[in-house]
Amino acid sequence: MDVLPPQMSAKDEGSFAYFTMKNRAPQILIKVINTLQQHKNEFFEKLGEVGTEAEKKLLSLLSKLLNELQTDEPLLPLTDNWVDTDIWNQYLKYHHSLLNETNKKISWFQSPWLYVECYMYRRIHEALMLSSPISDLDVFKEPKEQNFLESQEAIRILCSYLQGLNKIENLDENQLKDEFFKLLQISLWGNKCDLSLSGGQSSSQTSSPLTVLEDLKPFILVNNMDYLWLLLINRKKMRQETFSVTRVDFVLDNAGFELVTDLVMADFLLASKLATEIHFHGKSIPWYVSDTNKNDINWVIEQLKAANTKCMSECGINWEDYFKKHSWVYHDHMFWTLPYEYCAMSQVAPDLYAELQKSNLILFKGDLNYRKLVGDRKWGFTVPFHQALNGFHPAPLCSIRTVKAEVQVGLAPGQGEQVAVTDPQWMNTGKYGIFQFDGHFDLA
Ligand code: F6P
Ligand code: MG
C-alpha cells in the first residue's frame, strides 16, 4: 500500500490550521466564556446556589482549557465518564506511541489539526460533564438560534418555493431535474453559514437563496450533480420492477439556515419520489459551534410550526409528520464526534458503517465532513477522490461542501493553481463549492 500524505497540522506556521488554532479556536472559547458570564444570574435563578457553583466550575475548566491551548500544553486524558471517554484516551495513547525524537509532544500546535480541533470541542463537553447539574447545557445554542432567526426571510422564501412545487407530479423529467439541481445548490451554499468560521459571530443568510444561484455557478469547482440525478432517477424508473425503496442519507452539518436547506431538499426528494426514505445523521454533543443535534432539529420544526406565515408553518407540520411516520429517521452516533478519519469507521464503529451500507446515496454536508472523508491530508489537487477516501466506500456518496480548509482533491490539472492566482484565499472563505461524487450509477 502506498504511503499516505501527512495530515495537516498547526505546526505549519502560515497554514489555515495554524491560524485556526492561534486565533479562531481561542476566539470561540472566549466567546463561550463571555456568554456564560453574561448569563450567570440565570443559573442562580434556575438552580439557586448549586447553579452558581456549577457555572463557576464550568468557567474555571474552560479558562484552564483556553490557557492550555494558548500555551501549547500537552493534550491531557479525559476525566469524565461519557460513552467515548476510553476511546479518546486510547487515541491519545496511540499518538504517544508514534512519537519519535523530532516530534516530542502531543500538543495543540504539534499534533494533527483534525485531532486537536476535535479534542477542543470534546474538552468543552468534558467541562460540562464535570459541572453537574448544568451538564446538558448547549453552550452554542444562542448563536445557532440567532442564525435561524436572522435568516427568516430567506427561510420564508425557501418554504414558499417548496410549497409551490406541490404539483410535482405534473413536472416533466427535465423540469424535475432542474428543480433537483436548484435545491442541491441551495443546500450547497447553505453551508457558507457555519458559525465556527466566523468565530461564532453572526453568519446568517440575508439575501434570497434562489436568485443568487446563477451568479454562484462559476464558483462550483467540482460539479457531479449529474451523477446524483442519474442514480436517483434510474432507481425511480426501475423501482416498480427491481427496487422497493430508495434510501438517501444526509450526514448533516450546521443547524440554522443550512439545516433548513437540507430539510427542504429532503422534502423534495420524498415528494418527487426520487427517494422513499431519508435518514439524517447528527451530532450527539455540541460540536464545531453550529453543528446540528437532535434538539436543534426539534427547535427548528417548532419554530416553523409556530410561524405566522402559512408556507413556513406547513413545512413545520409536514416535517414533524415525516419523522412520526418514519419516512424521515434521525440517528446520532458518537463516531461523528471522534477525531477519526472516515476510513477508520469500519474498524472503530462497524455498526455505523453497516447502517450506512444500507443507503443508496449518502450526502456528506460541509467542510469538516470533507476533511474527515479525505483524512485531512496534504493530498495533491488532482488525486482522485476515490483514492483519497482510502477504502471508505459504504455506499455511493457525495460531498456537498463549501471549501473552508486547505484540502481539495479531484480537480482538473492546473485548476486549483489557476483559482489561487485570482483568489489566493480561495480555500478558506467558503466562497467556492463542490459536489464530489464517488460510486456507481446505472446509465439507463
Ligand atoms: O475549523 C475547521 C473547519 O473545518 C473550518 O475549515 C470550517 O470553518 C469549520 O471547521 C467547519 O465548517 P463546516 O461547518 O462546513 O463543517
Ligand atoms: Mg459545521
Side-chain angles (χ1 to χ4, degrees), residues 184 188-189 219-225 364 366 370 373 385 398-403 407-411 415 426 431-437:
L184 271 177
L188 166 67
W189 299 121
F219 298 101
I220 302 177
L221 300 178
V222 180
N223 189 349
N224 294 160
M225 283 196 299
F364 285 90
Y370 191 75
L373 281 168
F385 186 38
C398 183
S399 160
I400 301 180
R401 166 234 190 183
T402 61
V403 182
V407 57
Q408 182 59 58
V409 298
L411 296 185
Q415 190 184 6
W426 71 280
K431 182 170 160 192
Y432 296 84
I434 56 159
F435 294 98
Q436 196 156 44
F437 177 79

PDB file of all heavy atoms in Angstrom, residues 184 188-189 219-225 364 366 370 373 385 398-403 407-411 415 426 431-437:
ATOM      1  N   LEU A 184     -30.331  21.363  -4.734  1.00  0.00           N
ATOM      2  CA  LEU A 184     -28.989  20.891  -4.337  1.00  0.00           C
ATOM      3  C   LEU A 184     -28.044  22.081  -4.150  1.00  0.00           C
ATOM      4  O   LEU A 184     -27.273  22.138  -3.188  1.00  0.00           O
ATOM      5  CB  LEU A 184     -28.396  19.988  -5.422  1.00  0.00           C
ATOM      6  CG  LEU A 184     -28.680  18.497  -5.363  1.00  0.00           C
ATOM      7  CD1 LEU A 184     -28.059  17.801  -6.571  1.00  0.00           C
ATOM      8  CD2 LEU A 184     -28.147  17.849  -4.080  1.00  0.00           C
ATOM      9  N   LEU A 188     -25.972  23.407  -0.986  1.00  0.00           N
ATOM     10  CA  LEU A 188     -24.517  23.647  -1.014  1.00  0.00           C
ATOM     11  C   LEU A 188     -24.188  25.006  -0.414  1.00  0.00           C
ATOM     12  O   LEU A 188     -23.388  25.120   0.518  1.00  0.00           O
ATOM     13  CB  LEU A 188     -24.002  23.585  -2.462  1.00  0.00           C
ATOM     14  CG  LEU A 188     -22.584  24.130  -2.675  1.00  0.00           C
ATOM     15  CD1 LEU A 188     -21.541  23.262  -1.981  1.00  0.00           C
ATOM     16  CD2 LEU A 188     -22.245  24.235  -4.161  1.00  0.00           C
ATOM     17  N   TRP A 189     -24.832  26.058  -0.936  1.00  0.00           N
ATOM     18  CA  TRP A 189     -24.466  27.408  -0.482  1.00  0.00           C
ATOM     19  C   TRP A 189     -24.945  27.662   0.940  1.00  0.00           C
ATOM     20  O   TRP A 189     -24.420  28.538   1.622  1.00  0.00           O
ATOM     21  CB  TRP A 189     -24.957  28.468  -1.473  1.00  0.00           C
ATOM     22  CG  TRP A 189     -24.331  28.279  -2.834  1.00  0.00           C
ATOM     23  CD1 TRP A 189     -24.974  28.063  -4.015  1.00  0.00           C
ATOM     24  CD2 TRP A 189     -22.922  28.242  -3.152  1.00  0.00           C
ATOM     25  NE1 TRP A 189     -24.078  27.894  -5.039  1.00  0.00           N
ATOM     26  CE2 TRP A 189     -22.802  27.999  -4.545  1.00  0.00           C
ATOM     27  CE3 TRP A 189     -21.748  28.388  -2.403  1.00  0.00           C
ATOM     28  CZ2 TRP A 189     -21.569  27.904  -5.189  1.00  0.00           C
ATOM     29  CZ3 TRP A 189     -20.521  28.284  -3.052  1.00  0.00           C
ATOM     30  CH2 TRP A 189     -20.436  28.052  -4.415  1.00  0.00           C
ATOM     31  N   PHE A 219     -18.510  29.413  -9.244  1.00  0.00           N
ATOM     32  CA  PHE A 219     -17.712  29.078  -8.060  1.00  0.00           C
ATOM     33  C   PHE A 219     -17.815  27.597  -7.683  1.00  0.00           C
ATOM     34  O   PHE A 219     -17.267  27.178  -6.683  1.00  0.00           O
ATOM     35  CB  PHE A 219     -18.117  29.971  -6.875  1.00  0.00           C
ATOM     36  CG  PHE A 219     -17.867  31.425  -7.158  1.00  0.00           C
ATOM     37  CD1 PHE A 219     -18.903  32.264  -7.529  1.00  0.00           C
ATOM     38  CD2 PHE A 219     -16.578  31.931  -7.093  1.00  0.00           C
ATOM     39  CE1 PHE A 219     -18.665  33.602  -7.822  1.00  0.00           C
ATOM     40  CE2 PHE A 219     -16.331  33.258  -7.386  1.00  0.00           C
ATOM     41  CZ  PHE A 219     -17.376  34.106  -7.755  1.00  0.00           C
ATOM     42  N   ILE A 220     -18.565  26.838  -8.499  1.00  0.00           N
ATOM     43  CA  ILE A 220     -18.629  25.383  -8.246  1.00  0.00           C
ATOM     44  C   ILE A 220     -17.451  24.728  -8.970  1.00  0.00           C
ATOM     45  O   ILE A 220     -17.408  24.690 -10.200  1.00  0.00           O
ATOM     46  CB  ILE A 220     -19.979  24.794  -8.717  1.00  0.00           C
ATOM     47  CG1 ILE A 220     -21.139  25.501  -8.008  1.00  0.00           C
ATOM     48  CG2 ILE A 220     -20.029  23.289  -8.455  1.00  0.00           C
ATOM     49  CD1 ILE A 220     -22.517  25.048  -8.455  1.00  0.00           C
ATOM     50  N   LEU A 221     -16.503  24.232  -8.211  1.00  0.00           N
ATOM     51  CA  LEU A 221     -15.255  23.743  -8.807  1.00  0.00           C
ATOM     52  C   LEU A 221     -15.346  22.293  -9.268  1.00  0.00           C
ATOM     53  O   LEU A 221     -14.660  21.890 -10.196  1.00  0.00           O
ATOM     54  CB  LEU A 221     -14.106  23.881  -7.799  1.00  0.00           C
ATOM     55  CG  LEU A 221     -13.814  25.303  -7.327  1.00  0.00           C
ATOM     56  CD1 LEU A 221     -12.695  25.296  -6.306  1.00  0.00           C
ATOM     57  CD2 LEU A 221     -13.447  26.206  -8.509  1.00  0.00           C
ATOM     58  N   VAL A 222     -16.138  21.491  -8.577  1.00  0.00           N
ATOM     59  CA  VAL A 222     -16.370  20.106  -8.993  1.00  0.00           C
ATOM     60  C   VAL A 222     -17.878  19.942  -9.006  1.00  0.00           C
ATOM     61  O   VAL A 222     -18.525  20.172  -7.980  1.00  0.00           O
ATOM     62  CB  VAL A 222     -15.767  19.088  -7.986  1.00  0.00           C
ATOM     63  CG1 VAL A 222     -16.036  17.654  -8.445  1.00  0.00           C
ATOM     64  CG2 VAL A 222     -14.273  19.323  -7.790  1.00  0.00           C
ATOM     65  N   ASN A 223     -18.419  19.591 -10.172  1.00  0.00           N
ATOM     66  CA  ASN A 223     -19.868  19.529 -10.247  1.00  0.00           C
ATOM     67  C   ASN A 223     -20.349  18.163 -10.723  1.00  0.00           C
ATOM     68  O   ASN A 223     -20.508  17.929 -11.915  1.00  0.00           O
ATOM     69  CB  ASN A 223     -20.399  20.639 -11.155  1.00  0.00           C
ATOM     70  CG  ASN A 223     -21.906  20.725 -11.065  1.00  0.00           C
ATOM     71  OD1 ASN A 223     -22.551  19.830 -10.499  1.00  0.00           O
ATOM     72  ND2 ASN A 223     -22.480  21.772 -11.616  1.00  0.00           N
ATOM     73  N   ASN A 224     -20.568  17.267  -9.791  1.00  0.00           N
ATOM     74  CA  ASN A 224     -21.053  15.912 -10.122  1.00  0.00           C
ATOM     75  C   ASN A 224     -22.558  15.774  -9.884  1.00  0.00           C
ATOM     76  O   ASN A 224     -23.051  14.666  -9.639  1.00  0.00           O
ATOM     77  CB  ASN A 224     -20.317  14.851  -9.289  1.00  0.00           C
ATOM     78  CG  ASN A 224     -18.841  14.737  -9.611  1.00  0.00           C
ATOM     79  OD1 ASN A 224     -18.077  14.226  -8.815  1.00  0.00           O
ATOM     80  ND2 ASN A 224     -18.425  15.202 -10.777  1.00  0.00           N
ATOM     81  N   MET A 225     -23.293  16.875  -9.983  1.00  0.00           N
ATOM     82  CA  MET A 225     -24.747  16.800  -9.736  1.00  0.00           C
ATOM     83  C   MET A 225     -25.431  15.813 -10.680  1.00  0.00           C
ATOM     84  O   MET A 225     -26.389  15.156 -10.305  1.00  0.00           O
ATOM     85  CB  MET A 225     -25.394  18.182  -9.880  1.00  0.00           C
ATOM     86  CG  MET A 225     -25.171  19.089  -8.698  1.00  0.00           C
ATOM     87  SD  MET A 225     -26.290  20.501  -8.678  1.00  0.00           S
ATOM     88  CE  MET A 225     -25.906  21.347 -10.166  1.00  0.00           C
ATOM     89  N   PHE A 364     -22.767  13.929   2.265  1.00  0.00           N
ATOM     90  CA  PHE A 364     -21.962  14.449   3.376  1.00  0.00           C
ATOM     91  C   PHE A 364     -21.906  15.964   3.266  1.00  0.00           C
ATOM     92  O   PHE A 364     -21.311  16.492   2.326  1.00  0.00           O
ATOM     93  CB  PHE A 364     -20.536  13.886   3.324  1.00  0.00           C
ATOM     94  CG  PHE A 364     -20.431  12.464   3.772  1.00  0.00           C
ATOM     95  CD1 PHE A 364     -20.571  11.424   2.876  1.00  0.00           C
ATOM     96  CD2 PHE A 364     -20.192  12.156   5.108  1.00  0.00           C
ATOM     97  CE1 PHE A 364     -20.475  10.098   3.293  1.00  0.00           C
ATOM     98  CE2 PHE A 364     -20.097  10.832   5.535  1.00  0.00           C
ATOM     99  CZ  PHE A 364     -20.231   9.805   4.625  1.00  0.00           C
ATOM    100  N   GLY A 366     -20.795  19.717   4.186  1.00  0.00           N
ATOM    101  CA  GLY A 366     -19.871  20.608   4.875  1.00  0.00           C
ATOM    102  C   GLY A 366     -18.399  20.260   4.858  1.00  0.00           C
ATOM    103  O   GLY A 366     -17.972  19.207   4.395  1.00  0.00           O
ATOM    104  N   TYR A 370     -15.861  16.759   4.868  1.00  0.00           N
ATOM    105  CA  TYR A 370     -14.913  16.552   3.761  1.00  0.00           C
ATOM    106  C   TYR A 370     -13.510  16.260   4.308  1.00  0.00           C
ATOM    107  O   TYR A 370     -12.819  15.344   3.841  1.00  0.00           O
ATOM    108  CB  TYR A 370     -14.871  17.785   2.855  1.00  0.00           C
ATOM    109  CG  TYR A 370     -14.116  17.536   1.563  1.00  0.00           C
ATOM    110  CD1 TYR A 370     -14.685  16.796   0.533  1.00  0.00           C
ATOM    111  CD2 TYR A 370     -12.818  18.023   1.372  1.00  0.00           C
ATOM    112  CE1 TYR A 370     -14.003  16.557  -0.648  1.00  0.00           C
ATOM    113  CE2 TYR A 370     -12.121  17.790   0.191  1.00  0.00           C
ATOM    114  CZ  TYR A 370     -12.733  17.051  -0.817  1.00  0.00           C
ATOM    115  OH  TYR A 370     -12.048  16.805  -1.990  1.00  0.00           O
ATOM    116  N   LEU A 373     -13.468  12.791   5.393  1.00  0.00           N
ATOM    117  CA  LEU A 373     -13.556  11.842   4.265  1.00  0.00           C
ATOM    118  C   LEU A 373     -12.179  11.599   3.655  1.00  0.00           C
ATOM    119  O   LEU A 373     -11.821  10.476   3.335  1.00  0.00           O
ATOM    120  CB  LEU A 373     -14.505  12.386   3.181  1.00  0.00           C
ATOM    121  CG  LEU A 373     -16.008  12.244   3.423  1.00  0.00           C
ATOM    122  CD1 LEU A 373     -16.801  13.088   2.426  1.00  0.00           C
ATOM    123  CD2 LEU A 373     -16.452  10.791   3.317  1.00  0.00           C
ATOM    124  N   PHE A 385     -10.714  11.462  -6.026  1.00  0.00           N
ATOM    125  CA  PHE A 385     -11.485  11.419  -4.759  1.00  0.00           C
ATOM    126  C   PHE A 385     -11.510   9.989  -4.219  1.00  0.00           C
ATOM    127  O   PHE A 385     -11.305   9.752  -3.028  1.00  0.00           O
ATOM    128  CB  PHE A 385     -12.901  11.936  -5.060  1.00  0.00           C
ATOM    129  CG  PHE A 385     -13.799  12.105  -3.852  1.00  0.00           C
ATOM    130  CD1 PHE A 385     -13.319  12.576  -2.633  1.00  0.00           C
ATOM    131  CD2 PHE A 385     -15.173  11.814  -3.949  1.00  0.00           C
ATOM    132  CE1 PHE A 385     -14.165  12.745  -1.532  1.00  0.00           C
ATOM    133  CE2 PHE A 385     -16.017  11.985  -2.863  1.00  0.00           C
ATOM    134  CZ  PHE A 385     -15.514  12.441  -1.653  1.00  0.00           C
ATOM    135  N   CYS A 398     -21.581  11.448  -1.787  1.00  0.00           N
ATOM    136  CA  CYS A 398     -21.253  12.738  -2.399  1.00  0.00           C
ATOM    137  C   CYS A 398     -20.961  13.761  -1.311  1.00  0.00           C
ATOM    138  O   CYS A 398     -21.721  13.881  -0.349  1.00  0.00           O
ATOM    139  CB  CYS A 398     -22.430  13.222  -3.258  1.00  0.00           C
ATOM    140  SG  CYS A 398     -22.068  14.769  -4.111  1.00  0.00           S
ATOM    141  N   SER A 399     -19.862  14.475  -1.477  1.00  0.00           N
ATOM    142  CA  SER A 399     -19.586  15.585  -0.568  1.00  0.00           C
ATOM    143  C   SER A 399     -20.199  16.854  -1.156  1.00  0.00           C
ATOM    144  O   SER A 399     -19.970  17.176  -2.328  1.00  0.00           O
ATOM    145  CB  SER A 399     -18.073  15.764  -0.407  1.00  0.00           C
ATOM    146  OG  SER A 399     -17.802  17.070   0.062  1.00  0.00           O
ATOM    147  N   ILE A 400     -20.990  17.540  -0.325  1.00  0.00           N
ATOM    148  CA  ILE A 400     -21.576  18.831  -0.727  1.00  0.00           C
ATOM    149  C   ILE A 400     -20.985  19.840   0.242  1.00  0.00           C
ATOM    150  O   ILE A 400     -21.365  19.903   1.406  1.00  0.00           O
ATOM    151  CB  ILE A 400     -23.115  18.785  -0.623  1.00  0.00           C
ATOM    152  CG1 ILE A 400     -23.661  17.665  -1.518  1.00  0.00           C
ATOM    153  CG2 ILE A 400     -23.733  20.132  -0.981  1.00  0.00           C
ATOM    154  CD1 ILE A 400     -25.171  17.527  -1.501  1.00  0.00           C
ATOM    155  N   ARG A 401     -20.020  20.612  -0.232  1.00  0.00           N
ATOM    156  CA  ARG A 401     -19.184  21.353   0.719  1.00  0.00           C
ATOM    157  C   ARG A 401     -18.717  22.685   0.144  1.00  0.00           C
ATOM    158  O   ARG A 401     -18.334  22.748  -1.030  1.00  0.00           O
ATOM    159  CB  ARG A 401     -17.973  20.474   1.000  1.00  0.00           C
ATOM    160  CG  ARG A 401     -16.824  21.132   1.672  1.00  0.00           C
ATOM    161  CD  ARG A 401     -15.534  20.946   0.889  1.00  0.00           C
ATOM    162  NE  ARG A 401     -14.386  21.381   1.672  1.00  0.00           N
ATOM    163  CZ  ARG A 401     -13.139  21.390   1.237  1.00  0.00           C
ATOM    164  NH1 ARG A 401     -12.843  20.959   0.039  1.00  0.00           N
ATOM    165  NH2 ARG A 401     -12.170  21.846   1.996  1.00  0.00           N
ATOM    166  N   THR A 402     -18.772  23.734   0.934  1.00  0.00           N
ATOM    167  CA  THR A 402     -18.062  24.942   0.535  1.00  0.00           C
ATOM    168  C   THR A 402     -16.667  24.852   1.140  1.00  0.00           C
ATOM    169  O   THR A 402     -16.493  24.408   2.275  1.00  0.00           O
ATOM    170  CB  THR A 402     -18.784  26.244   0.967  1.00  0.00           C
ATOM    171  OG1 THR A 402     -18.897  26.271   2.388  1.00  0.00           O
ATOM    172  CG2 THR A 402     -20.164  26.347   0.344  1.00  0.00           C
ATOM    173  N   VAL A 403     -15.686  25.248   0.357  1.00  0.00           N
ATOM    174  CA  VAL A 403     -14.277  24.981   0.702  1.00  0.00           C
ATOM    175  C   VAL A 403     -13.793  25.968   1.776  1.00  0.00           C
ATOM    176  O   VAL A 403     -13.750  27.173   1.547  1.00  0.00           O
ATOM    177  CB  VAL A 403     -13.399  25.099  -0.567  1.00  0.00           C
ATOM    178  CG1 VAL A 403     -11.938  24.780  -0.244  1.00  0.00           C
ATOM    179  CG2 VAL A 403     -13.927  24.191  -1.663  1.00  0.00           C
ATOM    180  N   VAL A 407      -7.660  21.616   1.969  1.00  0.00           N
ATOM    181  CA  VAL A 407      -7.587  20.284   1.384  1.00  0.00           C
ATOM    182  C   VAL A 407      -8.639  20.175   0.286  1.00  0.00           C
ATOM    183  O   VAL A 407      -9.800  20.536   0.488  1.00  0.00           O
ATOM    184  CB  VAL A 407      -7.751  19.170   2.457  1.00  0.00           C
ATOM    185  CG1 VAL A 407      -9.043  19.314   3.228  1.00  0.00           C
ATOM    186  CG2 VAL A 407      -7.661  17.792   1.839  1.00  0.00           C
ATOM    187  N   GLN A 408      -8.182  19.729  -0.889  1.00  0.00           N
ATOM    188  CA  GLN A 408      -9.109  19.549  -2.004  1.00  0.00           C
ATOM    189  C   GLN A 408      -8.494  18.553  -2.973  1.00  0.00           C
ATOM    190  O   GLN A 408      -7.329  18.692  -3.343  1.00  0.00           O
ATOM    191  CB  GLN A 408      -9.364  20.891  -2.709  1.00  0.00           C
ATOM    192  CG  GLN A 408     -10.350  20.813  -3.855  1.00  0.00           C
ATOM    193  CD  GLN A 408     -11.717  20.301  -3.398  1.00  0.00           C
ATOM    194  OE1 GLN A 408     -12.341  20.892  -2.523  1.00  0.00           O
ATOM    195  NE2 GLN A 408     -12.176  19.197  -3.966  1.00  0.00           N
ATOM    196  N   VAL A 409      -9.275  17.556  -3.343  1.00  0.00           N
ATOM    197  CA  VAL A 409      -8.796  16.571  -4.325  1.00  0.00           C
ATOM    198  C   VAL A 409      -9.740  16.566  -5.521  1.00  0.00           C
ATOM    199  O   VAL A 409     -10.770  17.256  -5.526  1.00  0.00           O
ATOM    200  CB  VAL A 409      -8.712  15.150  -3.704  1.00  0.00           C
ATOM    201  CG1 VAL A 409      -7.731  15.108  -2.550  1.00  0.00           C
ATOM    202  CG2 VAL A 409     -10.088  14.634  -3.281  1.00  0.00           C
ATOM    203  N   GLY A 410      -9.353  15.783  -6.536  1.00  0.00           N
ATOM    204  CA  GLY A 410     -10.259  15.568  -7.671  1.00  0.00           C
ATOM    205  C   GLY A 410     -10.427  16.760  -8.592  1.00  0.00           C
ATOM    206  O   GLY A 410     -11.409  16.847  -9.320  1.00  0.00           O
ATOM    207  N   LEU A 411      -9.464  17.700  -8.585  1.00  0.00           N
ATOM    208  CA  LEU A 411      -9.565  18.842  -9.505  1.00  0.00           C
ATOM    209  C   LEU A 411      -8.889  18.494 -10.829  1.00  0.00           C
ATOM    210  O   LEU A 411      -8.064  17.575 -10.903  1.00  0.00           O
ATOM    211  CB  LEU A 411      -8.891  20.074  -8.900  1.00  0.00           C
ATOM    212  CG  LEU A 411      -9.505  20.659  -7.619  1.00  0.00           C
ATOM    213  CD1 LEU A 411      -8.790  21.944  -7.221  1.00  0.00           C
ATOM    214  CD2 LEU A 411     -10.998  20.926  -7.785  1.00  0.00           C
ATOM    215  N   GLN A 415      -6.272  23.379 -12.294  1.00  0.00           N
ATOM    216  CA  GLN A 415      -7.486  24.111 -11.856  1.00  0.00           C
ATOM    217  C   GLN A 415      -7.263  24.843 -10.526  1.00  0.00           C
ATOM    218  O   GLN A 415      -7.558  26.037 -10.402  1.00  0.00           O
ATOM    219  CB  GLN A 415      -8.665  23.129 -11.733  1.00  0.00           C
ATOM    220  CG  GLN A 415     -10.005  23.796 -11.516  1.00  0.00           C
ATOM    221  CD  GLN A 415     -11.138  22.776 -11.297  1.00  0.00           C
ATOM    222  OE1 GLN A 415     -10.891  21.562 -11.202  1.00  0.00           O
ATOM    223  NE2 GLN A 415     -12.361  23.263 -11.215  1.00  0.00           N
ATOM    224  N   TRP A 426      -8.649  31.310  -1.617  1.00  0.00           N
ATOM    225  CA  TRP A 426      -9.829  30.565  -2.071  1.00  0.00           C
ATOM    226  C   TRP A 426     -10.196  29.366  -1.205  1.00  0.00           C
ATOM    227  O   TRP A 426     -11.351  28.978  -1.143  1.00  0.00           O
ATOM    228  CB  TRP A 426      -9.645  30.128  -3.532  1.00  0.00           C
ATOM    229  CG  TRP A 426      -8.643  29.040  -3.767  1.00  0.00           C
ATOM    230  CD1 TRP A 426      -7.294  29.189  -3.837  1.00  0.00           C
ATOM    231  CD2 TRP A 426      -8.899  27.647  -3.976  1.00  0.00           C
ATOM    232  NE1 TRP A 426      -6.692  27.972  -4.077  1.00  0.00           N
ATOM    233  CE2 TRP A 426      -7.652  27.004  -4.170  1.00  0.00           C
ATOM    234  CE3 TRP A 426     -10.049  26.856  -4.029  1.00  0.00           C
ATOM    235  CZ2 TRP A 426      -7.534  25.641  -4.398  1.00  0.00           C
ATOM    236  CZ3 TRP A 426      -9.934  25.499  -4.258  1.00  0.00           C
ATOM    237  CH2 TRP A 426      -8.691  24.895  -4.435  1.00  0.00           C
ATOM    238  N   LYS A 431     -16.177  30.517  -0.260  1.00  0.00           N
ATOM    239  CA  LYS A 431     -16.699  31.150  -1.475  1.00  0.00           C
ATOM    240  C   LYS A 431     -16.871  30.132  -2.610  1.00  0.00           C
ATOM    241  O   LYS A 431     -17.687  30.301  -3.498  1.00  0.00           O
ATOM    242  CB  LYS A 431     -15.699  32.234  -1.885  1.00  0.00           C
ATOM    243  CG  LYS A 431     -16.032  33.051  -3.081  1.00  0.00           C
ATOM    244  CD  LYS A 431     -15.044  34.209  -3.170  1.00  0.00           C
ATOM    245  CE  LYS A 431     -15.001  34.790  -4.570  1.00  0.00           C
ATOM    246  NZ  LYS A 431     -13.866  35.706  -4.730  1.00  0.00           N
ATOM    247  N   TYR A 432     -16.071  29.065  -2.590  1.00  0.00           N
ATOM    248  CA  TYR A 432     -16.115  28.038  -3.639  1.00  0.00           C
ATOM    249  C   TYR A 432     -16.809  26.785  -3.109  1.00  0.00           C
ATOM    250  O   TYR A 432     -16.776  26.525  -1.895  1.00  0.00           O
ATOM    251  CB  TYR A 432     -14.696  27.703  -4.113  1.00  0.00           C
ATOM    252  CG  TYR A 432     -14.040  28.888  -4.774  1.00  0.00           C
ATOM    253  CD1 TYR A 432     -13.392  29.859  -4.008  1.00  0.00           C
ATOM    254  CD2 TYR A 432     -14.125  29.071  -6.146  1.00  0.00           C
ATOM    255  CE1 TYR A 432     -12.825  30.986  -4.603  1.00  0.00           C
ATOM    256  CE2 TYR A 432     -13.562  30.187  -6.752  1.00  0.00           C
ATOM    257  CZ  TYR A 432     -12.914  31.138  -5.974  1.00  0.00           C
ATOM    258  OH  TYR A 432     -12.375  32.250  -6.567  1.00  0.00           O
ATOM    259  N   GLY A 433     -17.411  26.032  -4.027  1.00  0.00           N
ATOM    260  CA  GLY A 433     -18.145  24.848  -3.571  1.00  0.00           C
ATOM    261  C   GLY A 433     -17.886  23.634  -4.440  1.00  0.00           C
ATOM    262  O   GLY A 433     -17.394  23.752  -5.572  1.00  0.00           O
ATOM    263  N   ILE A 434     -18.224  22.474  -3.915  1.00  0.00           N
ATOM    264  CA  ILE A 434     -18.072  21.232  -4.697  1.00  0.00           C
ATOM    265  C   ILE A 434     -19.271  20.300  -4.477  1.00  0.00           C
ATOM    266  O   ILE A 434     -19.850  20.256  -3.394  1.00  0.00           O
ATOM    267  CB  ILE A 434     -16.786  20.447  -4.317  1.00  0.00           C
ATOM    268  CG1 ILE A 434     -16.736  20.131  -2.812  1.00  0.00           C
ATOM    269  CG2 ILE A 434     -15.533  21.179  -4.751  1.00  0.00           C
ATOM    270  CD1 ILE A 434     -15.820  18.987  -2.456  1.00  0.00           C
ATOM    271  N   PHE A 435     -19.589  19.559  -5.548  1.00  0.00           N
ATOM    272  CA  PHE A 435     -20.418  18.350  -5.437  1.00  0.00           C
ATOM    273  C   PHE A 435     -19.506  17.243  -5.916  1.00  0.00           C
ATOM    274  O   PHE A 435     -19.267  17.109  -7.124  1.00  0.00           O
ATOM    275  CB  PHE A 435     -21.631  18.402  -6.376  1.00  0.00           C
ATOM    276  CG  PHE A 435     -22.631  19.468  -6.042  1.00  0.00           C
ATOM    277  CD1 PHE A 435     -22.619  20.680  -6.724  1.00  0.00           C
ATOM    278  CD2 PHE A 435     -23.598  19.260  -5.060  1.00  0.00           C
ATOM    279  CE1 PHE A 435     -23.547  21.669  -6.423  1.00  0.00           C
ATOM    280  CE2 PHE A 435     -24.527  20.242  -4.763  1.00  0.00           C
ATOM    281  CZ  PHE A 435     -24.501  21.448  -5.440  1.00  0.00           C
ATOM    282  N   GLN A 436     -18.936  16.489  -5.007  1.00  0.00           N
ATOM    283  CA  GLN A 436     -17.939  15.486  -5.409  1.00  0.00           C
ATOM    284  C   GLN A 436     -18.461  14.088  -5.081  1.00  0.00           C
ATOM    285  O   GLN A 436     -18.677  13.751  -3.923  1.00  0.00           O
ATOM    286  CB  GLN A 436     -16.619  15.766  -4.681  1.00  0.00           C
ATOM    287  CG  GLN A 436     -15.443  15.051  -5.287  1.00  0.00           C
ATOM    288  CD  GLN A 436     -14.127  15.759  -4.973  1.00  0.00           C
ATOM    289  OE1 GLN A 436     -13.895  16.186  -3.844  1.00  0.00           O
ATOM    290  NE2 GLN A 436     -13.261  15.900  -5.965  1.00  0.00           N
ATOM    291  N   PHE A 437     -18.633  13.308  -6.143  1.00  0.00           N
ATOM    292  CA  PHE A 437     -19.323  12.016  -6.037  1.00  0.00           C
ATOM    293  C   PHE A 437     -18.331  10.860  -6.125  1.00  0.00           C
ATOM    294  O   PHE A 437     -17.366  10.918  -6.865  1.00  0.00           O
ATOM    295  CB  PHE A 437     -20.343  11.917  -7.182  1.00  0.00           C
ATOM    296  CG  PHE A 437     -21.089  10.616  -7.244  1.00  0.00           C
ATOM    297  CD1 PHE A 437     -22.158  10.375  -6.398  1.00  0.00           C
ATOM    298  CD2 PHE A 437     -20.732   9.634  -8.165  1.00  0.00           C
ATOM    299  CE1 PHE A 437     -22.865   9.165  -6.466  1.00  0.00           C
ATOM    300  CE2 PHE A 437     -21.429   8.436  -8.239  1.00  0.00           C
ATOM    301  CZ  PHE A 437     -22.499   8.203  -7.380  1.00  0.00           C
TER     302      PHE A 437
END
